[in-house]
Amino acid sequence: MTDPAPSPAQDTKPPGPWRMALRSLRHNRSALFSFAVLVFLAVASVLAPYYARYVAHTDPFVSNVAGSITVGGQEMDIMQPNDNPLHLGLSPIGPTWHGSYMLGADSQGRDVAARLLYGGRNSLLISFCSAVLCLVMAAAVGIAAGFCGGIVDTILSRMMDIMWSVPVYLFAISLSIVTVSDGLHLGPFVIESDNLLLPICIIALVYIPYAARPIRGRVMALREAEFVMAARCLGVPRWRIVLQDILPNVTSTLVVLGPLIMAMSLLAESALSFLSIGVQAPAASWGTLIQDGEGLIYTRPMVAIAPGLAIIAVVLALNILGDGLRDALDVRDASHREQ
Amino acid sequence: MKDTRIQAITQWMKRVLPLLLGFMLTPVAAHATEAPKMGGTLRILVSSAAGTLDPQISYIGLTKFFETPVYDTLLTYPKFAGPNAQPVIPNLAENVPQPEDNGLTYRLTLRKGVHFSNGQLLTVADVASSFRRIFAAGSPTAGPYYSAIKGADICLKDPAHCTLAEGIETDAATNAITFHLSRPDPEFLEHLAWLHASILPASTPPHDMGNTAPPGTGPYQITDYDPTTHMRFERNPYFHEWSHDAQPAGFPDHIEVTFGLEPEASVTAVENGQADLMYENVPLDRLGEVGSKYAAQVHIFTPLLYYYATLNVNEPPFTSLKVRQALNYAVNRHAMVIYDGGSAVASPQCQLLPEGTPGYERFCAYTAGASPQNPAPEWAKPDMEKARQLVQESGTKGMRVTIVTPSGGKSDNTALDLRSILEDLGYKASVHSISPAIHFTFVQNSDNHVQISIGGWNADYPSAASFLDTLFACSNFHPHSDNSPNMSGFCDPHIDDMMHHAAKLAVTDRAASNAAWAQADKALMAQAPAVPLVQTKRVVLVSKRTRNVIITLNDEILLSQLQVP
């Protein structure tokens, strides 16, 4: 008994665009490496509580300036007196390269490595959620403007122009300052000032024009495409055309924009938190960690360098991944992909 | 042969070593006996300017630092180092007046032959005019410090028609000045020595002079000022020294101030000899470096300044005395000292008067093994057990508490530490960090319902009243106002009476007054309207070439006395 021979139709069916894109991406080593870096950092951040409890044996949210630790059998104060004749100043312990205080302590005597992982949770969560929220809103705006045209397009496009005309950081800082003192009151709903939803919404909002404009352009081109014209002639309702014909065709644009918007969101979150108007203490993000390290830059530069390196790694990885996705999903570059 | 060579070397060393040692020690000896160095340009770095130059308006420490060698008051605090640089001594006046009529009259005589920097002779008319100008120009201390002068109430209501005709009597022939008060002011002499009572020419316009410095009688005049970039001082050509202790002649010919450099950069500039003095404290991160490499250029002194957490007695949970006491027991002041840079730079503060203030008697009511009834001599360690017990008894566990703090540096660290403590005591605590520019006014206004705030308090002059009375007297609590220095909203008539009694005693018996202030300090701490944290020291870095750094109790570093080659 043998399997029946495949039909000629099955044998010649070309792979779908997503499968082709995935195949192309698998051959892009830079993009794969970047993806691996992102996964590693995300998993490490998710495991922050376990690291703090079982490896560092510390609570990274509690001040511990008067405490001490044992490193290599030797007990050491976390805040160590500087060696000078005037006995001026104290410096937090530097990197021990052991489980406890591996990257040293900050000015509150807290474990920098544990806070780095906790900070990663917030930074990655905020940047990911901001990017998703931004793309959802940008898709709605871009599709509405591009597909409806006319007065809808004029109003939405001018609104995007106005938002675009304000420097993005200035816009984000203004919104954050307004909300950071009392939170956000939306009728019966109140978002407290220390709620992560605030930076997520603010960052998502300020980047909408950056994503909505290319989506609008793509939709305007699709609106005139033959298959859309055909659907219209057949009397297909507009909402169904949007859902079945337009949205699937802008998805690749959204996927390509995703990592880039996430990278920009991460930088914006870090900047806002550095200015004390993003993630609120004692919660940590990579931006707040850099702020913590600012006052220790001469004596304990690792406090600022470690989160700085983490931000660089994530932003670089997201950009390379975004480039890889663009190459993989770009139909105009199919010849390159087929090689 | 070998012995001969050793003998020769020994002989040679005996001859050369004394010469070598002499050569090495010569600069030290010369330095020890070197003559005062007149002339040169003193270069100072400040992160930002203090705004108006008007000595009767500006209420910023930086202005006092700069304008002490530019303007003079009738009385002043002695310009020499040490704790004996008090009480006030004559300056433009020839004598310190004795209160008459139960403290309602003060008679002084103005010095003769003193000229303003524009060449104009100082007269009693200038004195009367200057006191009217305090009200006309809207000096911030017109009410708190000078409202006891007869006619001041009218001046406060209608500054444009202020005459003080009944309050200040002058005689141009004898240079006599008589102050008549409507009520005794136990600190009137100190108020005469305060910068806002600087004597200016009668022709000075009755409004804020802004970036233009009016002529003064001190050894220097401000000749150029741009608050964004620089300020320049030159010698007052008409100055002559009338009292070395009151207003000594200056050493440098010029003083150049540059604004805009952050303290981190200022430290580097002073270390490199590109500037002679940085006004700001050496940043905590650089203390180790300056302490090891530039120890000879570091000057540490203790100003009348401490940091504390204000507890609003009108906002739960701090309406409960037990909660206020609990937080005082729970605070780890050792940690607070660490946030300030360690024991060389700060010391635990356990009471409401800082060390160095008249009336200061060291005690600590809130430390392990102590109580308000049985205070310890000094803070030892926190008593968390006692603190938890008090919170349990108060029935306030689980309430939300928000700590308001000025953003940045050690304030944030202190606030986060307090947050940890409050969480440990069972509260849901959070930190609200706001710009230092608005923090002080924000926490004063009762409409903002601030429960607990962190800040520092620096006295205008060495006086217990400027801490206890200003911060905790009923009269200094003004609900719904941005100008309410009693931020705790604390009001206890009995303690108010104790403070009034102590102030009145100062007129006749300073020692008894100081003892009474010490009692008031203890009574206030028993009510715990605040949590004293640390008394900090100033760590000032000067350049290698700068000499003769004189630090006084009231004026801190004397600018005019710094010597540069």
Side-chain angles (χ1 to χ4, degrees), chain B residues 214-268:
Chain B
T217 48
Y220 291 96
Q221 55 181 328
I222 298 171
T223 54
D224 191 13
Y225 175 55
D226 179 340
T228 61
T229 56
H230 71 281
M231 179 155 67
R232 184 177 172 83
F233 295 70
E234 285 176 13
R235 287 187 184 279
N236 171 4
Y238 299 95
F239 176 81
H240 69 274
E241 189 176 275
W242 56 81
S243 163
H244 187 75
D245 285 348
Q247 184 61 287
F251 287 100
D253 282 340
H254 308 279
I255 302 172
E256 295 275 4
V257 183
T258 304
F259 300 116
L261 225 57
E262 287 299 315
E264 291 279 6
S266 296
V267 170
T268 308

Side-chain angles (χ1 to χ4, degrees), chain B residues 317-392:
Chain B
F318 300 111
T319 46
S320 163
L321 172 61
K322 287 183 176 175
V323 178
R324 303 198 299 266
Q325 291 181 328
L327 193 54
N328 265 288
Y329 275 117
V331 162
N332 186 345
R333 292 178 171 84
H334 173 53
M336 301 298 163
V337 168
I338 290 173
Y339 293 134
D340 265 51
S343 55
V345 185
S347 52
Q349 178 75 16
C350 209
Q351 58 194 95
L352 297 168
L353 282 180
E355 189 174 354
T357 314
Y360 171 81
E361 281 179 19
R362 189 193 294 270
F363 72 96
C364 187
Y366 302 104
T367 182
S371 68
Q373 295 75 33
N374 184 26
E378 60 186 11
W379 186 83
K381 60 178 185 178
D383 190 342
M384 287 304 290
E385 285 302 310
K386 179 86 175 168
R388 288 196 189 97
Q389 181 197 334
L390 286 165
V391 169
Q392 193 70 40

Side-chain angles (χ1 to χ4, degrees), chain A residues 197-326:
Chain A
L197 267 177
L198 274 182
I200 288 172
C201 293
I202 288 168
I203 295 167
L205 188 69
V206 298
Y207 281 119
I208 287 176
Y210 290 79
R213 185 162 282 210
I215 291 169
R216 171 180 168 270
R218 178 92 176 111
V219 173
M220 287 175 86
L222 286 169
R223 191 177 62 180
E224 306 302 328
E226 285 178 358
F227 65 97
V228 174
M229 297 297 281
R232 277 183 170 172
C233 292
L234 288 170
V236 178
R238 287 161 68 93
W239 63 268
R240 186 169 285 176
I241 295 173
V242 167
L243 286 180
Q244 290 187 342
D245 298 320
I246 302 291
L247 194 56
N249 281 290
V250 296
T251 308
S252 58
T253 308
L254 292 172
V255 169
V256 170
L257 283 171
L260 304 177
I261 296 286
M262 186 174 166
M264 290 196 292
S265 299
L266 182 72
L267 291 174
E269 184 281 319
S270 302
L272 293 179
S273 296
F274 178 77
L275 296 171
S276 303
I277 48 179
V279 172
Q280 295 296 299
S285 84
W286 288 337
T288 62
L289 291 186
I290 293 178
Q291 190 200 31
D292 292 343
E294 190 195 10
L296 296 167
I297 203 77
Y298 280 85
T299 49
R300 293 288 178 256
M302 185 57 79
V303 182
I305 288 172
L309 287 176
I311 291 170
I312 291 171
V314 171
V315 171
L316 206 59
L318 284 167
N319 278 297
I320 293 171
L321 184 64
D323 280 352
L325 285 170
R326 191 200 60 202

Side-chain angles (χ1 to χ4, degrees), chain A residues 61-67 79 82-92 106-110 115 180-182 192-194 275-277 280-283 291-300, chain B residues 264-265 268 284-296 298 300 332 334-339 341-345 400 407-408 412-417 419-420 429-434 539:
Chain A
F61 298 104
V62 173
S63 308
N64 193 22
V65 284
M79 301 300 285
N82 292 320
D83 183 21
N84 64 69
L86 299 177
H87 308 291
L88 284 178
L90 294 157
S91 296
D106 65 8
S107 56
Q108 286 261 312
R110 300 170 298 194
R115 284 183 66 77
V180 80
S181 55
D182 286 327
E192 297 289 343
S193 58
D194 57 354
L275 296 171
S276 303
I277 48 179
Q280 295 296 299
Q291 190 200 31
D292 292 343
E294 190 195 10
L296 296 167
I297 203 77
Y298 280 85
T299 49
R300 293 288 178 256
Chain B
E264 291 279 6
T268 308
L284 295 180
D285 194 27
R286 306 291 293 274
L287 286 176
E289 174 193 334
V290 301
S292 58
K293 294 182 185 170
Y294 305 94
V298 173
I300 304 171
N332 186 345
H334 173 53
M336 301 298 163
V337 168
I338 290 173
Y339 293 134
S343 55
V345 185
R400 281 187 176 276
S407 57
D412 277 340
N413 284 337
T414 305
L416 288 172
D417 199 289
R419 182 199 152 275
S420 297
S430 60
V431 173
H432 185 181
S433 199
I434 59 176
V539 181

Side-chain angles (χ1 to χ4, degrees), chain B residues 65-181:
Chain B
F65 171 67
F66 281 137
E67 297 196 339
T68 296
V70 176
Y71 299 102
D72 286 291
T73 44
L74 293 170
L75 308 177
T76 191
Y77 280 91
K79 304 286 190 295
F80 52 75
N84 296 328
Q86 58 174 324
V88 293
I89 58 170
N91 188 14
L92 290 178
E94 288 180 346
N95 60 305
V96 174
Q98 291 301 313
E100 301 169 25
D101 304 334
N102 294 320
L104 294 177
T105 304
Y106 291 84
R107 296 178 198 280
L108 308 95
T109 304
L110 188 67
R111 275 182 207 280
K112 289 177 181 163
V114 177
H115 289 80
F116 289 104
S117 56
N118 62 358
Q120 189 186 322
L121 184 70
L122 171 72
T123 65
V124 288
D126 298 315
V127 175
S129 162
S130 296
F131 278 86
R132 283 195 297 272
R133 190 176 180 276
I134 290 174
F135 298 93
S139 172
T141 54
Y145 287 1
Y146 306 104
S147 59
I149 300 173
K150 262 190 185 174
D153 48 345
I154 299 166
C155 292
L156 285 167
K157 283 178 195 159
D158 185 9
H161 299 97
C162 178
T163 63
L164 290 180
E166 293 177 48
I168 303 176
E169 202 180 306
T170 57
D171 183 344
T174 59
N175 262 10
I177 306 161
T178 307
F179 287 93
H180 298 287
L181 307 189

